Amino acid sequence: MSIFLGVDTGGTYTDAVLLDDARQKVIAHAKALTSRPDLSQGIGGAIDAVLAQGEGVAPGDIALVSLSTTLATNALVEGQGGRVALILVGFDATERTRAGLTEALAGDPLIELAGGHGHAGEARAPLDLPALEAALTALPRGITGIAVASAFATRNPAHENAVRAVIRARTGLPVTCSHELSAALGGPKRALTALLNARLIAMIDRLITACETHLARRGIAAPLMVVRGDGALVSAAMVREKPIETILSGPAASVAGASWLTGERDALVADIGGTTTDVCLLRDGRPAIDPEGAQVGAFRTMVEAVAMRTTGLGGDSEVHVLDGLATALRLGPRRMMPVSLAATLYPALVHGALDDALSRDPVPEDAARFAVALFTTLPEGLPPREQALAERLLAGPQRLSTLLRSRIEGPALTRLVAGGQALLCGVTPSDAAHVLGRQTGWDTGAAEKALTLLARRRSGSGTRLAPDGAAMAQAIIDQLTRQSVDCLLEAAFAEEAGQWQHPPEVLARHELLHAGLAQQAGLAQRASLVTLSARLAAPVIALGASAGCYYGAIAERLGARLVVPGHAGVANAIGAVVGQVAMHAEGTVTCPAPGRFVAHLTTGPAAFPSAALAIARLEADLRAQASASAARAGVTTPRLQLERDDILAEVEGQSMFIESRLRVTASGRPRIATG
């Protein structure tokens, strides 16, 4: 038998499936809570559970293991990740403020050096290595990785390579070079991509190590693959170096899983998890690739990924009560541990705090809010206030009113959460779903108490937010419906951007559109002189463990056909094992002067007397790169495909060569274990 094991690690759950590749059939599937900080517990729990269900499947029968994950996506959406340093070589002062670099740095060290290259690959200034040595010595404790970006490094990577050699010799820290992540121009955006990659290295390394360790413990010797953001598979060893390529890994796997499960050719795929909702258009059975690079949260990267719109909205999204006279809610983008889950894990603490708050009037604002440490030993390099909070959290989860001893400690806790070192617990849509009987599995009694407390809070007019906990729960679910409708409409309008004057986010919220949606759904509150009707023309494929809980109302509001396939809750894990390896190598030939053609190779620029010679040399270099990458990814005999784009200009009636861009793709199925 060729049995494939698919594993998906999300923010809340880790899913596992066993798939019979020959019969294209799911044999078994299982879930376990994602465990932090020790991810091996959740991964091991899911793998053990699915193996127990797969009767007759022995560890030696498993020929391939593939992993998809939303951890990288969630970390970037929530502003989490390791503390890193960014080194910019040859950038001017205006460039470092572009592409969101300042926001992405978030106060982490920035080192600026003289050096860099020009458009044709020529050095613009000598690389200032003494300044680099001094800056490395002055780095604060707690840095987990370093990102390096040099001007026009895709045309000549010499300065990035030199900086990396010094960093490795002096610090031993992981180093990300921007030219290894993208061959495209655009220094600030390339620097941003390198910075985010460096942030994710430690997190993804822990994930892969946890998976490998448990597979070995169970005697599973099959190769481990990971889903990239474009849906292709890549070896675990390569992902350790380039974890940024796993952003949108989970969503890409979910689209592949949606297509495999439903057979639908054209649809909007919506995958709701604990932290995010990911929406992608499936056209002719394939997801579109975003030509501008993956957008995650506020950041536009140079990572090739499915054209997915990711929004911080999920079953575990934080519930915000907005200021004003009327009750108004907003969900996300931050993920919280639901109160019902916290009570399952820490029953005495949570129920004790909730019962105490229910006996008080007025209700304390933090009545159902707690903090949990995501570490087992104190992190290094914390500032004094964060250090004090971390020491208290090390003793166990705490009520916020107990943990925070002064107002100035609130921002310190926020920084611990943003750094992935602590998690807040509070009311979420998952709690509301438990109260309304739409979900089970966690502590419904705790959810009812928490929603009752929230309902008793007062709006700006002095009235209660809701008559009781059930009404409060319904208000939260209604808000999730509204925000989800906006997510789907934004994705639909984005696919037809050329037809409209306004951006998708404006069109999706236009009052005339929502009036038309209300009328088609029979929700219009009064007769109108103007009759409007609007609906979503494409069917909606809803994925995720809670899809059936929420998406009936969402599809009804949109007037769309809803498809919730069997195994919708483990579609990501299924998608993880139905893909192929596809490795790309890209390069450019330029013409900086008449009769001089430069091939920008991995070893640096090389000049030739003709375009044909330069292109032939570059093609050979790219074929070697792509083939080597495919071999590392586990493909024995890859298929090679060449794409070439020549840019020419007409001068005085004659065609003039400007540049040629080449891309070689090596693809195939990964090697599988036999016997």
Side-chain angles (χ1 to χ4, degrees):
M1 290 191 295
S2 290
I3 304 299
F4 292 174
L5 169 61
V7 180
D8 175 68
T9 300
T12 304
Y13 281 109
T14 295
D15 303 325
V17 299
L18 289 174
L19 187 144
D20 186 328
D21 185 51
R23 293 189 294 160
Q24 293 288 284
K25 178 182 177 181
V26 175
I27 299 173
H29 61 89
K31 286 180 176 290
L33 281 171
T34 296
S35 53
R36 304 191 192 199
D38 183 7
L39 294 169
S40 64
Q41 295 179 26
I43 291 172
I47 292 175
D48 290 346
V50 81
L51 288 175
Q53 292 182 31
E55 296 180 6
V57 176
D61 294 331
I62 296 175
L64 178 71
V65 181
S66 189
L67 174 70
S68 73
T69 178
T70 60
L71 289 183
T73 308
N74 295 348
L76 297 186
V77 168
E78 298 181 84
Q80 297 181 358
R83 193 178 184 203
V84 299
L86 173 63
I87 298 176
L88 296 179
V89 182
F91 282 66
D92 61 39
T94 60
E95 287 179 304
R96 68 168 178 261
T97 63
R98 290 161 46 196
L101 268 177
T102 302
E103 293 78 6
L105 264 173
D108 282 353
L110 172 64
I111 300 170
E112 296 179 278
L113 303 175
H117 293 80
H119 184 272
E122 76 286 359
R124 292 195 308 197
L127 177 61
D128 192 348
L129 290 178
L132 172 63
E133 296 266 3
L136 291 176
T137 302
L139 282 177
R141 293 176 61 194
I143 297 296
T144 62
I146 299 177
V148 182
S150 179
F152 287 102
T154 55
R155 296 295 166 85
N156 191 335
H159 285 180
E160 284 194 2
N161 291 337
V163 169
R164 174 170 55 190
V166 173
I167 294 171
R168 284 178 172 172
R170 289 292 306 273
T171 71
L173 290 170
V175 186
T176 297
C177 289
S178 73
H179 76 275
E180 294 181 339
L181 299 176
S182 174
L185 297 177
K189 190 173 173 183
R190 194 161 27 80
L192 170 70
T193 305
L195 171 64
L196 298 179
N197 187 81
R199 280 207 193 288
L200 296 171
I201 284 176
M203 176 188 297
I204 298 301
D205 180 70
R206 288 195 300 270
L207 171 66
I208 292 173
T209 298
C211 194
E212 289 175 335
T213 300
H214 196 77
L215 291 173
R217 187 178 299 129
R218 290 302 306 256
I220 298 172
L224 175 62
M225 309 298 291
V226 182
V227 181
R228 266 193 337 220
D230 61 357
L233 304 182
V234 65
S235 70
M238 297 181 75
V239 166
R240 276 193 162 102
E241 299 172 8
K242 301 179 182 180
I244 190 71
E245 293 190 349
T246 69
I247 63 172
L248 301 183
S249 162
S254 74
V255 175
S259 178
W260 190 87
L261 286 168
T262 67
E264 294 281 347
R265 303 289 295 172
D266 299 284
L268 273 181
V269 179
D271 184 3
I272 181 168
T275 308
T276 62
T277 293
D278 307 307
V279 183
C280 178
L281 179 66
L282 190 66
R283 182 166 283 164
D284 294 327
R286 306 172 75 96
I289 300 299
D290 194 332
E292 296 182 16
Q295 171 95 34
V296 181
F299 304 120
R300 172 71 72 175
T301 70
M302 280 186 169
V303 176
E304 190 168 276
V306 294
M308 184 78 67
R309 295 183 78 87
T310 297
T311 305
L313 175 67
D316 300 345
S317 289
E318 181 176 9
V319 177
H320 300 273
V321 179
L322 305 182
D323 294 333
L325 297 179
T327 300
L329 304 176
R330 191 71 186 165
L331 307 181
R334 184 165 63 180
R335 172 183 174 266
M336 305 188 85
M337 179 184 289
V339 174
S340 51
L341 173 56
T344 302
L345 300 173
Y346 318 107
L349 168 72
V350 174
H351 279 284
L354 295 175
D355 290 340
D356 176 68
L358 285 168
S359 68
R360 297 174 182 270
D361 190 20
V363 173
E365 283 200 12
D366 68 342
R369 293 172 74 88
F370 308 86
V372 177
L374 296 180
F375 50 81
T376 53
T377 58
L378 283 175
E380 294 185 359
L382 291 178
R385 288 197 181 98
E386 283 90 329
Q387 177 80 12
L389 290 175
E391 289 173 354
R392 291 174 216 158
L393 283 173
L394 200 58
Q398 297 189 38
R399 297 173 62 174
L400 291 193
S401 57
T402 302
L403 176 67
L404 302 177
R405 298 175 181 174
S406 66
R407 285 185 172 273
I408 59 175
E409 288 187 335
L413 177 59
T414 299
R415 289 190 290 272
L416 285 177
V417 172
Q421 294 152 329
L423 179 64
L424 296 179
C425 307
V427 172
T428 69
S430 294
D431 295 308
H434 274 75
V435 169
L436 297 176
R438 299 187 184 185
Q439 280 184 252
T440 58
W442 299 335
D443 192 327
T444 299
E448 290 171 344
K449 292 177 183 179
L451 268 294
T452 299
L453 286 168
L454 184 58
R456 289 181 184 177
R457 284 180 54 183
R458 305 281 177 173
S459 66
S461 64
T463 59
R464 287 188 171 186
L465 295 182
D468 53 34
M472 190 75 248
Q474 188 60 56
I476 292 171
I477 298 300
D478 290 344
Q479 182 61 31
L480 186 141
T481 299
R482 284 189 287 270
Q483 289 183 225
S484 297
V485 165
D486 289 345
C487 290
L488 288 161
L489 290 173
E490 278 189 38
F493 281 120
E495 291 297 324
E496 301 174 343
Q499 301 183 33
W500 312 97
Q501 292 183 350
H502 299 292
E505 55 269 22
V506 173
L507 293 168
R509 293 163 178 79
H510 199 285
E511 58 184 338
L512 290 179
L513 172 64
H514 282 273
L517 290 171
Q519 289 198 17
Q520 70 80 26
L523 300 175
Q525 296 182 355
R526 61 184 177 83
S528 174
L529 293 175
V530 179
T531 300
L532 299 170
S533 182
R535 69 180 184 87
L536 186 65
V540 174
I541 301 175
L543 304 176
S546 61
C549 170
Y550 302 124
Y551 265 79
I554 294 165
E556 181 181 357
R557 179 73 173 175
L558 291 166
R561 177 168 64 91
L562 177 64
V563 181
V564 182
H567 307 304
V570 291
N572 291 29
I574 292 170
V577 292
V578 297
Q580 292 198 3
V581 170
M583 305 303 298
H584 310 294
E586 300 178 49
T588 307
V589 172
T590 58
C591 182
R596 187 169 184 265
F597 301 88
V598 178
H600 297 276
L601 310 173
T602 51
T603 55
F608 296 87
S610 72
L613 289 173
I615 290 171
R617 179 66 182 86
L618 178 62
E619 181 181 340
D621 187 56
L622 296 179
R623 285 182 180 273
Q625 282 186 58
S627 296
S629 295
R632 288 182 63 200
V635 179
T636 306
T637 53
R639 297 184 302 275
L640 295 180
Q641 179 182 356
L642 172 67
E643 298 173 61
R644 175 175 159 184
D645 181 21
D646 293 335
I647 300 175
L648 308 173
E650 190 170 311
V651 179
E652 296 181 355
Q654 293 191 358
S655 180
M656 177 176 290
F657 180 93
I658 303 298
E659 71 176 34
S660 184
R661 299 169 185 165
L662 276 67
R663 175 187 173 99
V664 173
T665 300
S667 60
R669 289 289 285 172
R671 283 189 299 271
I672 61 175
T674 56

